[in-house]
Amino acid sequence: MEFDLIDKKLLMLLQEDSKKTTKELSNKLNLSVTAVYERIKKLEREGVIRNYVALLDRTKINKSFVVFCHIKLIQHTKEYLNTFEHEVTQLTEVLECFHVSGDYDYILKICVSGMEEYREFMVTKLTNLKHIGSTHSSFMISELKNSTQYQML
């Protein structure tokens, strides 16, 4: 899909605050409310806008212990990959999972309340997944940047 300058500006505004009304957006874009509404609907239909969410403060919901867990599978067969991917996506503690190249096969972003909860997660959930050969965990010391915005302009 090709984006014109107005689409790009609209997407940037929605990424900043998706609760802005079409009237507020139309004022910023110098378009009619109807034109903004139609553009948003088209972006939704095309799958450019997948969802609208609330971003939570991890510290206020007691999930500020962030772990990046590197996973190596015992084999790289299609069956092993599919099984692992299906099972890991069911774990609520795992916020993100990436299939990567290099020394490890996957990197997981896990958010829990602290080391005790992470240990419990490892012992009762993660290490029970099939086909895991090894894991390596790194713990976040501080967060320098956390953005959900894609630069459009």
Side-chain angles (χ1 to χ4, degrees):
M1 180 175 175
E2 291 290 320
F3 302 105
D4 63 16
L5 186 59
I6 294 171
D7 285 334
K8 291 176 181 179
K9 285 181 180 178
L10 176 58
L11 288 168
M12 291 296 294
L13 291 168
L14 288 171
Q15 286 182 99
E16 288 171 16
D17 181 2
S18 66
K19 289 185 77 172
K20 283 194 186 320
T21 64
T22 50
K23 179 154 182 54
E24 291 172 307
L25 294 168
S26 70
N27 289 337
K28 290 191 180 275
L29 296 170
N30 295 320
L31 289 175
S32 71
V33 172
T34 303
V36 170
Y37 176 82
E38 290 301 323
R39 281 179 181 263
I40 291 171
K41 288 300 166 196
K42 180 181 178 195
L43 292 165
E44 290 171 347
R45 271 192 316 275
E46 294 291 326
V48 175
I49 298 174
R50 292 188 326 198
N51 208 351
Y52 297 92
V53 299
L55 300 176
L56 306 182
D57 183 331
R58 282 191 306 272
T59 61
K60 298 196 186 219
I61 60 167
N62 198 25
K63 298 293 181 191
S64 60
F65 194 75
V66 180
V67 182
F68 299 97
C69 184
H70 298 73
I71 306 283
K72 191 180 290 190
L73 299 184
I74 54 175
Q75 284 186 348
H76 297 104
T77 65
K78 184 176 181 178
E79 175 197 346
Y80 283 22
L81 294 171
N82 289 339
T83 300
F84 173 79
E85 289 175 3
H86 173 74
E87 291 177 348
V88 78
T89 58
Q90 306 306 307
L91 302 174
T92 57
E93 295 86 351
V94 176
L95 270 63
E96 299 178 56
C97 177
F98 303 97
H99 190 183
V100 297
S101 64
D103 293 336
Y104 292 92
D105 300 312
Y106 294 91
I107 298 175
L108 312 180
K109 180 181 177 184
I110 301 162
C111 292
V112 291
S113 63
M115 183 61 81
E116 287 180 26
E117 187 178 345
Y118 182 63
R119 182 184 186 287
E120 184 68 18
F121 167 77
M122 285 291 289
V123 170
T124 63
K125 293 182 180 180
L126 190 63
T127 56
N128 285 330
L129 297 186
K130 296 175 185 156
H131 316 307
I132 291 180
S134 65
T135 65
H136 174 85
S137 299
S138 300
F139 307 100
M140 180 182 77
I141 295 170
S142 67
E143 185 173 81
L144 304 178
K145 181 177 181 180
N146 182 347
S147 176
T148 61
Q149 293 181 319
Y150 295 100
Q151 189 63 32
M152 295 299 299
L153 300 174

